[in-house]
Every structure is written in structure tokens, then in C-alpha cells.
Amino acid sequence: MPRLPEANALVTGASRGIGRGIAEGLADAGASVAVNHPPGDGERETAADVVDAITGAGGEAIALEG
């Protein structure tokens, strides 16, 4: 994947599965990522795990419910 240091990405369904892989891949390439997830406590927690994984690796990410 090309480097994306000035990119912002909104990844829907990013709290698990393919969406999580895409979010982490974009973050690895340098993009700032919005981890979108459906409503619900369990979804909020899994999205927070994705954000923690991205920021723990030096990337930028936030979780957005919707």
C-alpha cells in the first residue's frame, strides 16, 4: 500500500473482521482513521480495542458510533 501520511479515512464496520483489517492497514500506511461501529456496548468496546491497537502502534484513530 502507498504511504498516506496526510489522508483521513472513515472505515465503516471497523470494529471487527475485514473492516478492522482495513482500518489497521490504512493506519499502518500513515492515514488517520475513524473507526466507525454500530451502536451497542459490545461494539463500543471492540472499536476501542481497534483504536488502542492503532494508537499503540503509533497511529492516529478515533471511534465513531453510527
Side-chain angles (χ1 to χ4, degrees):
M1 180 177 288
R3 296 296 305 155
L4 304 168
E6 296 182 27
N8 297 306
L10 169 63
V11 182
T12 60
S15 60
R16 64 183 70 223
I18 293 170
R20 179 180 181 143
I22 291 170
E24 290 177 342
L26 287 166
D28 286 342
S32 297
V33 179
V35 176
N36 179 249
H37 62 91
D41 291 337
E43 297 293 338
R44 190 173 298 119
E45 290 173 12
T46 57
D49 291 342
V50 176
V51 170
D52 290 345
I54 291 171
T55 57
E60 294 183 27
I62 61 168
L64 295 175
E65 183 176 297

Short mmCIF file of all heavy atoms in Angstrom, two decimals:
data_model
loop_
_atom_site.label_atom_id
_atom_site.label_comp_id
_atom_site.label_asym_id
_atom_site.label_seq_id
_atom_site.Cartn_x
_atom_site.Cartn_y
_atom_site.Cartn_z
N MET A 1 0.85 -1.17 0.00
CA MET A 1 0.00 0.00 0.00
C MET A 1 0.89 1.24 0.00
O MET A 1 1.89 1.28 0.72
CB MET A 1 -0.90 -0.03 1.24
CG MET A 1 -1.83 1.17 1.34
SD MET A 1 -2.97 1.14 2.75
CE MET A 1 -4.09 -0.12 2.24
N PRO A 2 0.50 2.27 -0.76
CA PRO A 2 1.30 3.51 -0.75
C PRO A 2 1.21 4.21 0.61
O PRO A 2 0.29 3.95 1.39
CB PRO A 2 0.64 4.35 -1.84
CG PRO A 2 -0.74 3.84 -1.96
CD PRO A 2 -0.66 2.37 -1.61
N ARG A 3 2.14 5.08 0.88
CA ARG A 3 2.11 5.86 2.12
C ARG A 3 1.01 6.91 2.03
O ARG A 3 0.80 7.51 0.98
CB ARG A 3 3.46 6.55 2.36
CG ARG A 3 4.63 5.59 2.56
CD ARG A 3 4.54 4.72 3.80
NE ARG A 3 4.37 5.53 5.01
CZ ARG A 3 3.80 5.09 6.12
NH1 ARG A 3 3.36 3.87 6.21
NH2 ARG A 3 3.68 5.86 7.16
N LEU A 4 0.30 7.12 3.12
CA LEU A 4 -0.84 8.03 3.15
C LEU A 4 -0.74 8.99 4.33
O LEU A 4 -1.68 9.11 5.13
CB LEU A 4 -2.14 7.23 3.25
CG LEU A 4 -2.38 6.20 2.16
CD1 LEU A 4 -3.54 5.28 2.53
CD2 LEU A 4 -2.64 6.89 0.84
N PRO A 5 0.36 9.71 4.48
CA PRO A 5 0.58 10.50 5.69
C PRO A 5 -0.39 11.65 5.90
O PRO A 5 -0.57 12.10 7.02
CB PRO A 5 2.01 11.01 5.53
CG PRO A 5 2.23 11.04 4.06
CD PRO A 5 1.46 9.86 3.52
N GLU A 6 -1.03 12.16 4.85
CA GLU A 6 -1.95 13.28 5.02
C GLU A 6 -3.40 12.88 4.81
O GLU A 6 -4.28 13.72 4.73
CB GLU A 6 -1.56 14.41 4.07
CG GLU A 6 -0.19 14.97 4.41
CD GLU A 6 0.20 16.13 3.51
OE1 GLU A 6 -0.70 16.81 2.99
OE2 GLU A 6 1.39 16.34 3.34
N ALA A 7 -3.66 11.58 4.74
CA ALA A 7 -5.01 11.09 4.47
C ALA A 7 -5.81 10.90 5.76
O ALA A 7 -5.26 10.59 6.81
CB ALA A 7 -4.94 9.77 3.73
N ASN A 8 -7.11 11.09 5.63
CA ASN A 8 -8.07 10.78 6.69
C ASN A 8 -9.00 9.73 6.13
O ASN A 8 -9.46 9.85 4.99
CB ASN A 8 -8.87 12.02 7.09
CG ASN A 8 -8.00 13.09 7.67
OD1 ASN A 8 -7.26 12.85 8.60
ND2 ASN A 8 -8.06 14.29 7.11
N ALA A 9 -9.29 8.71 6.91
CA ALA A 9 -10.14 7.63 6.43
C ALA A 9 -11.25 7.34 7.43
O ALA A 9 -11.01 7.28 8.64
CB ALA A 9 -9.32 6.37 6.21
N LEU A 10 -12.46 7.15 6.92
CA LEU A 10 -13.59 6.69 7.72
C LEU A 10 -13.86 5.27 7.26
O LEU A 10 -14.19 5.05 6.10
CB LEU A 10 -14.82 7.56 7.49
CG LEU A 10 -16.13 7.02 8.07
CD1 LEU A 10 -16.05 6.93 9.59
CD2 LEU A 10 -17.29 7.91 7.64
N VAL A 11 -13.70 4.31 8.17
CA VAL A 11 -13.91 2.91 7.82
C VAL A 11 -15.14 2.42 8.55
O VAL A 11 -15.17 2.36 9.78
CB VAL A 11 -12.67 2.05 8.19
CG1 VAL A 11 -12.90 0.61 7.77
CG2 VAL A 11 -11.42 2.60 7.54
N THR A 12 -16.19 2.08 7.78
CA THR A 12 -17.41 1.57 8.39
C THR A 12 -17.23 0.10 8.74
O THR A 12 -16.51 -0.63 8.06
CB THR A 12 -18.62 1.75 7.46
OG1 THR A 12 -18.37 1.03 6.25
CG2 THR A 12 -18.85 3.21 7.15
N GLY A 13 -17.85 -0.31 9.82
CA GLY A 13 -17.71 -1.70 10.26
C GLY A 13 -16.30 -2.03 10.70
O GLY A 13 -15.85 -3.17 10.60
N ALA A 14 -15.59 -1.04 11.20
CA ALA A 14 -14.17 -1.21 11.51
C ALA A 14 -13.90 -1.84 12.88
O ALA A 14 -12.75 -2.00 13.26
CB ALA A 14 -13.45 0.13 11.42
N SER A 15 -14.95 -2.21 13.60
CA SER A 15 -14.72 -2.76 14.93
C SER A 15 -14.38 -4.24 14.90
O SER A 15 -14.02 -4.81 15.92
CB SER A 15 -15.94 -2.52 15.83
OG SER A 15 -17.09 -3.14 15.30
N ARG A 16 -14.48 -4.87 13.71
CA ARG A 16 -14.16 -6.30 13.65
C ARG A 16 -13.94 -6.73 12.19
O ARG A 16 -14.27 -6.00 11.27
CB ARG A 16 -15.26 -7.13 14.27
CG ARG A 16 -16.57 -7.02 13.54
CD ARG A 16 -17.71 -7.79 14.17
NE ARG A 16 -18.07 -7.14 15.42
CZ ARG A 16 -18.33 -7.80 16.54
NH1 ARG A 16 -18.31 -9.09 16.57
NH2 ARG A 16 -18.63 -7.15 17.62
N GLY A 17 -13.39 -7.90 12.03
CA GLY A 17 -13.28 -8.55 10.72
C GLY A 17 -12.52 -7.77 9.67
O GLY A 17 -11.47 -7.18 9.93
N ILE A 18 -13.08 -7.77 8.46
CA ILE A 18 -12.44 -7.12 7.32
C ILE A 18 -12.28 -5.63 7.57
O ILE A 18 -11.24 -5.04 7.27
CB ILE A 18 -13.23 -7.38 6.03
CG1 ILE A 18 -13.17 -8.86 5.67
CG2 ILE A 18 -12.71 -6.52 4.88
CD1 ILE A 18 -14.10 -9.28 4.55
N GLY A 19 -13.31 -5.00 8.16
CA GLY A 19 -13.24 -3.57 8.45
C GLY A 19 -12.08 -3.23 9.37
O GLY A 19 -11.38 -2.24 9.18
N ARG A 20 -11.87 -4.07 10.37
CA ARG A 20 -10.74 -3.85 11.29
C ARG A 20 -9.42 -3.96 10.53
O ARG A 20 -8.53 -3.14 10.71
CB ARG A 20 -10.76 -4.86 12.43
CG ARG A 20 -9.60 -4.65 13.38
CD ARG A 20 -9.57 -5.63 14.53
NE ARG A 20 -8.43 -5.33 15.38
CZ ARG A 20 -8.42 -5.42 16.69
NH1 ARG A 20 -9.49 -5.83 17.32
NH2 ARG A 20 -7.34 -5.11 17.37
N GLY A 21 -9.30 -4.96 9.68
CA GLY A 21 -8.08 -5.13 8.90
C GLY A 21 -7.82 -3.94 8.00
O GLY A 21 -6.67 -3.49 7.86
N ILE A 22 -8.87 -3.41 7.39
CA ILE A 22 -8.71 -2.24 6.52
C ILE A 22 -8.28 -1.03 7.35
O ILE A 22 -7.37 -0.30 6.96
CB ILE A 22 -10.01 -1.96 5.76
CG1 ILE A 22 -10.25 -3.08 4.73
CG2 ILE A 22 -9.98 -0.59 5.09
CD1 ILE A 22 -11.61 -3.06 4.09
N ALA A 23 -8.92 -0.82 8.50
CA ALA A 23 -8.58 0.32 9.36
C ALA A 23 -7.12 0.24 9.80
O ALA A 23 -6.39 1.23 9.76
CB ALA A 23 -9.51 0.36 10.57
N GLU A 24 -6.70 -0.94 10.23
CA GLU A 24 -5.31 -1.10 10.68
C GLU A 24 -4.33 -0.95 9.52
O GLU A 24 -3.26 -0.37 9.68
CB GLU A 24 -5.13 -2.44 11.37
CG GLU A 24 -5.85 -2.48 12.71
CD GLU A 24 -5.78 -3.81 13.42
OE1 GLU A 24 -5.48 -4.84 12.78
OE2 GLU A 24 -6.04 -3.83 14.64
N GLY A 25 -4.69 -1.43 8.34
CA GLY A 25 -3.83 -1.28 7.17
C GLY A 25 -3.67 0.18 6.77
O GLY A 25 -2.57 0.62 6.45
N LEU A 26 -4.77 0.93 6.78
CA LEU A 26 -4.70 2.35 6.46
C LEU A 26 -3.86 3.10 7.49
O LEU A 26 -3.05 3.97 7.13
CB LEU A 26 -6.11 2.94 6.38
CG LEU A 26 -6.91 2.54 5.15
CD1 LEU A 26 -8.38 2.90 5.34
CD2 LEU A 26 -6.36 3.21 3.90
N ALA A 27 -4.03 2.76 8.75
CA ALA A 27 -3.23 3.39 9.80
C ALA A 27 -1.75 3.05 9.64
O ALA A 27 -0.89 3.93 9.80
CB ALA A 27 -3.72 2.97 11.18
N ASP A 28 -1.45 1.81 9.29
CA ASP A 28 -0.06 1.42 9.06
C ASP A 28 0.56 2.21 7.91
O ASP A 28 1.76 2.48 7.90
CB ASP A 28 0.05 -0.07 8.75
CG ASP A 28 -0.14 -0.95 9.97
OD1 ASP A 28 -0.03 -0.43 11.10
OD2 ASP A 28 -0.40 -2.16 9.78
N ALA A 29 -0.28 2.61 6.94
CA ALA A 29 0.19 3.38 5.80
C ALA A 29 0.30 4.87 6.13
O ALA A 29 0.76 5.66 5.31
CB ALA A 29 -0.73 3.18 4.61
N GLY A 30 -0.14 5.26 7.33
CA GLY A 30 0.02 6.65 7.77
C GLY A 30 -1.25 7.47 7.84
O GLY A 30 -1.21 8.63 8.22
N ALA A 31 -2.38 6.90 7.45
CA ALA A 31 -3.65 7.65 7.50
C ALA A 31 -4.16 7.76 8.93
O ALA A 31 -3.92 6.89 9.76
CB ALA A 31 -4.70 6.95 6.63
N SER A 32 -4.88 8.85 9.19
CA SER A 32 -5.63 8.98 10.43
C SER A 32 -6.97 8.29 10.18
O SER A 32 -7.60 8.51 9.16
CB SER A 32 -5.86 10.45 10.76
OG SER A 32 -4.63 11.10 10.98
N VAL A 33 -7.40 7.46 11.13
CA VAL A 33 -8.55 6.60 10.88
C VAL A 33 -9.67 6.86 11.88
O VAL A 33 -9.43 6.93 13.09
CB VAL A 33 -8.14 5.11 10.96
CG1 VAL A 33 -9.32 4.20 10.72
CG2 VAL A 33 -7.02 4.81 9.96
N ALA A 34 -10.90 6.97 11.34
CA ALA A 34 -12.11 7.00 12.17
C ALA A 34 -12.69 5.59 12.12
O ALA A 34 -13.06 5.10 11.05
CB ALA A 34 -13.09 8.03 11.65
N VAL A 35 -12.74 4.95 13.26
CA VAL A 35 -13.23 3.58 13.38
C VAL A 35 -14.73 3.65 13.65
O VAL A 35 -15.17 3.90 14.76
CB VAL A 35 -12.50 2.84 14.53
CG1 VAL A 35 -13.06 1.46 14.74
CG2 VAL A 35 -11.00 2.80 14.26
N ASN A 36 -15.54 3.45 12.60
CA ASN A 36 -16.99 3.52 12.73
C ASN A 36 -17.54 2.18 13.18
O ASN A 36 -17.09 1.14 12.73
CB ASN A 36 -17.59 3.91 11.37
CG ASN A 36 -19.09 4.00 11.42
OD1 ASN A 36 -19.75 3.17 10.82
ND2 ASN A 36 -19.63 4.98 12.12
N HIS A 37 -18.52 2.23 14.10
CA HIS A 37 -19.12 0.99 14.62
C HIS A 37 -20.59 1.22 14.90
O HIS A 37 -21.02 2.34 15.14
CB HIS A 37 -18.39 0.53 15.89
CG HIS A 37 -18.49 1.51 17.02
ND1 HIS A 37 -19.50 1.46 17.95
CD2 HIS A 37 -17.72 2.57 17.36
CE1 HIS A 37 -19.33 2.45 18.82
NE2 HIS A 37 -18.26 3.14 18.48
N PRO A 38 -21.40 0.15 14.87
CA PRO A 38 -22.82 0.29 15.20
C PRO A 38 -23.02 0.53 16.69
O PRO A 38 -22.12 0.26 17.50
CB PRO A 38 -23.42 -1.05 14.77
CG PRO A 38 -22.29 -2.00 14.73
CD PRO A 38 -21.06 -1.20 14.47
N PRO A 39 -24.20 1.03 17.08
CA PRO A 39 -24.49 1.25 18.49
C PRO A 39 -24.43 -0.05 19.30
O PRO A 39 -24.69 -1.12 18.77
CB PRO A 39 -25.91 1.80 18.49
CG PRO A 39 -26.13 2.33 17.11
CD PRO A 39 -25.30 1.46 16.22
N GLY A 40 -24.09 0.10 20.55
CA GLY A 40 -24.07 -1.05 21.47
C GLY A 40 -22.79 -1.09 22.27
O GLY A 40 -21.72 -0.73 21.78
N ASP A 41 -22.94 -1.50 23.53
CA ASP A 41 -21.78 -1.53 24.42
C ASP A 41 -20.69 -2.46 23.91
O ASP A 41 -19.52 -2.12 23.95
CB ASP A 41 -22.19 -1.95 25.83
CG ASP A 41 -23.02 -0.87 26.52
OD1 ASP A 41 -22.91 0.30 26.12
OD2 ASP A 41 -23.78 -1.21 27.45
N GLY A 42 -21.05 -3.65 23.42
CA GLY A 42 -20.05 -4.59 22.93
C GLY A 42 -19.32 -4.04 21.73
O GLY A 42 -18.10 -4.22 21.59
N GLU A 43 -20.05 -3.38 20.85
CA GLU A 43 -19.43 -2.78 19.67
C GLU A 43 -18.50 -1.64 20.06
O GLU A 43 -17.43 -1.45 19.49
CB GLU A 43 -20.50 -2.28 18.68
CG GLU A 43 -21.37 -3.36 18.13
CD GLU A 43 -20.64 -4.33 17.21
OE1 GLU A 43 -19.58 -3.99 16.67
OE2 GLU A 43 -21.15 -5.44 17.02
N ARG A 44 -18.92 -0.87 21.04
CA ARG A 44 -18.10 0.25 21.52
C ARG A 44 -16.77 -0.27 22.06
O ARG A 44 -15.71 0.30 21.81
CB ARG A 44 -18.86 1.01 22.60
CG ARG A 44 -18.23 2.32 23.01
CD ARG A 44 -19.11 3.12 23.97
NE ARG A 44 -20.37 3.48 23.33
CZ ARG A 44 -21.58 3.09 23.78
NH1 ARG A 44 -21.69 2.34 24.85
NH2 ARG A 44 -22.67 3.46 23.15
N GLU A 45 -16.84 -1.38 22.79
CA GLU A 45 -15.62 -1.97 23.36
C GLU A 45 -14.70 -2.52 22.28
O GLU A 45 -13.47 -2.32 22.35
CB GLU A 45 -15.98 -3.07 24.34
CG GLU A 45 -16.63 -2.56 25.61
CD GLU A 45 -17.13 -3.68 26.51
OE1 GLU A 45 -16.79 -4.85 26.27
OE2 GLU A 45 -17.87 -3.37 27.45
N THR A 46 -15.25 -3.19 21.28
CA THR A 46 -14.38 -3.73 20.23
C THR A 46 -13.79 -2.61 19.40
O THR A 46 -12.63 -2.70 18.96
CB THR A 46 -15.12 -4.74 19.32
OG1 THR A 46 -16.27 -4.13 18.74
CG2 THR A 46 -15.53 -5.97 20.09
N ALA A 47 -14.54 -1.52 19.18
CA ALA A 47 -13.99 -0.38 18.46
C ALA A 47 -12.86 0.26 19.27
O ALA A 47 -11.84 0.66 18.70
CB ALA A 47 -15.08 0.65 18.16
N ALA A 48 -13.03 0.34 20.57
CA ALA A 48 -11.97 0.89 21.43
C ALA A 48 -10.72 0.03 21.35
O ALA A 48 -9.60 0.56 21.37
CB ALA A 48 -12.46 0.99 22.87
N ASP A 49 -10.89 -1.29 21.23
CA ASP A 49 -9.73 -2.17 21.07
C ASP A 49 -8.98 -1.87 19.78
O ASP A 49 -7.75 -1.88 19.75
CB ASP A 49 -10.16 -3.64 21.07
CG ASP A 49 -10.67 -4.12 22.41
OD1 ASP A 49 -10.39 -3.46 23.43
OD2 ASP A 49 -11.36 -5.16 22.43
N VAL A 50 -9.72 -1.60 18.70
CA VAL A 50 -9.09 -1.26 17.42
C VAL A 50 -8.34 0.06 17.55
O VAL A 50 -7.18 0.17 17.12
CB VAL A 50 -10.13 -1.18 16.29
CG1 VAL A 50 -9.48 -0.75 14.98
CG2 VAL A 50 -10.84 -2.51 16.12
N VAL A 51 -8.97 1.05 18.15
CA VAL A 51 -8.32 2.35 18.35
C VAL A 51 -7.06 2.17 19.19
O VAL A 51 -6.00 2.72 18.86
CB VAL A 51 -9.29 3.37 19.01
CG1 VAL A 51 -8.55 4.62 19.45
CG2 VAL A 51 -10.41 3.72 18.04
N ASP A 52 -7.13 1.39 20.25
CA ASP A 52 -5.96 1.14 21.10
C ASP A 52 -4.84 0.46 20.32
O ASP A 52 -3.66 0.80 20.51
CB ASP A 52 -6.34 0.30 22.31
CG ASP A 52 -7.20 1.04 23.32
OD1 ASP A 52 -7.27 2.29 23.25
OD2 ASP A 52 -7.81 0.37 24.17
N ALA A 53 -5.19 -0.49 19.45
CA ALA A 53 -4.18 -1.17 18.66
C ALA A 53 -3.49 -0.20 17.71
O ALA A 53 -2.27 -0.23 17.54
CB ALA A 53 -4.80 -2.33 17.88
N ILE A 54 -4.28 0.67 17.08
CA ILE A 54 -3.72 1.63 16.12
C ILE A 54 -2.86 2.66 16.84
O ILE A 54 -1.73 2.92 16.43
CB ILE A 54 -4.85 2.30 15.32
CG1 ILE A 54 -5.49 1.28 14.36
CG2 ILE A 54 -4.32 3.51 14.54
CD1 ILE A 54 -6.75 1.78 13.67
N THR A 55 -3.38 3.25 17.91
CA THR A 55 -2.60 4.27 18.61
C THR A 55 -1.39 3.67 19.32
O THR A 55 -0.35 4.31 19.42
CB THR A 55 -3.48 5.06 19.60
OG1 THR A 55 -4.07 4.16 20.54
CG2 THR A 55 -4.57 5.83 18.87
N GLY A 56 -1.53 2.43 19.78
CA GLY A 56 -0.40 1.75 20.42
C GLY A 56 0.75 1.50 19.45
O GLY A 56 1.91 1.40 19.86
N ALA A 57 0.42 1.42 18.16
CA ALA A 57 1.45 1.22 17.14
C ALA A 57 1.95 2.55 16.57
O ALA A 57 2.70 2.57 15.60
CB ALA A 57 0.90 0.36 16.01
N GLY A 58 1.49 3.67 17.17
CA GLY A 58 1.96 4.98 16.75
C GLY A 58 1.05 5.69 15.77
O GLY A 58 1.38 6.78 15.29
N GLY A 59 -0.12 5.11 15.46
CA GLY A 59 -1.04 5.74 14.52
C GLY A 59 -2.04 6.64 15.23
O GLY A 59 -2.03 6.78 16.45
N GLU A 60 -2.91 7.25 14.41
CA GLU A 60 -3.95 8.12 14.93
C GLU A 60 -5.30 7.51 14.61
O GLU A 60 -5.56 7.15 13.46
CB GLU A 60 -3.86 9.51 14.31
CG GLU A 60 -2.61 10.27 14.69
CD GLU A 60 -2.60 11.68 14.11
OE1 GLU A 60 -3.68 12.24 13.88
OE2 GLU A 60 -1.50 12.20 13.90
N ALA A 61 -6.18 7.42 15.61
CA ALA A 61 -7.50 6.84 15.39
C ALA A 61 -8.47 7.33 16.46
O ALA A 61 -8.08 7.64 17.58
CB ALA A 61 -7.43 5.32 15.43
N ILE A 62 -9.74 7.40 16.07
CA ILE A 62 -10.83 7.67 16.99
C ILE A 62 -11.96 6.70 16.66
O ILE A 62 -12.03 6.16 15.56
CB ILE A 62 -11.34 9.12 16.88
CG1 ILE A 62 -11.88 9.41 15.46
CG2 ILE A 62 -10.27 10.12 17.29
CD1 ILE A 62 -12.64 10.71 15.35
N ALA A 63 -12.85 6.47 17.62
CA ALA A 63 -14.02 5.63 17.40
C ALA A 63 -15.23 6.53 17.21
O ALA A 63 -15.39 7.52 17.92
CB ALA A 63 -14.23 4.70 18.58
N LEU A 64 -16.07 6.17 16.24
CA LEU A 64 -17.31 6.91 15.98
C LEU A 64 -18.47 5.93 15.90
O LEU A 64 -18.43 4.98 15.12
CB LEU A 64 -17.22 7.66 14.64
CG LEU A 64 -16.19 8.77 14.53
CD1 LEU A 64 -16.16 9.31 13.11
CD2 LEU A 64 -16.51 9.88 15.50
N GLU A 65 -19.47 6.16 16.71
CA GLU A 65 -20.66 5.30 16.70
C GLU A 65 -21.67 5.82 15.69
O GLU A 65 -21.91 7.01 15.60
CB GLU A 65 -21.27 5.29 18.09
CG GLU A 65 -22.45 4.38 18.23
CD GLU A 65 -22.97 4.33 19.65
OE1 GLU A 65 -22.21 3.89 20.55
OE2 GLU A 65 -24.11 4.77 19.87
N GLY A 66 -22.24 4.93 14.93
CA GLY A 66 -23.27 5.36 13.99
C GLY A 66 -23.73 4.27 13.09
O GLY A 66 -23.10 3.29 12.88
#
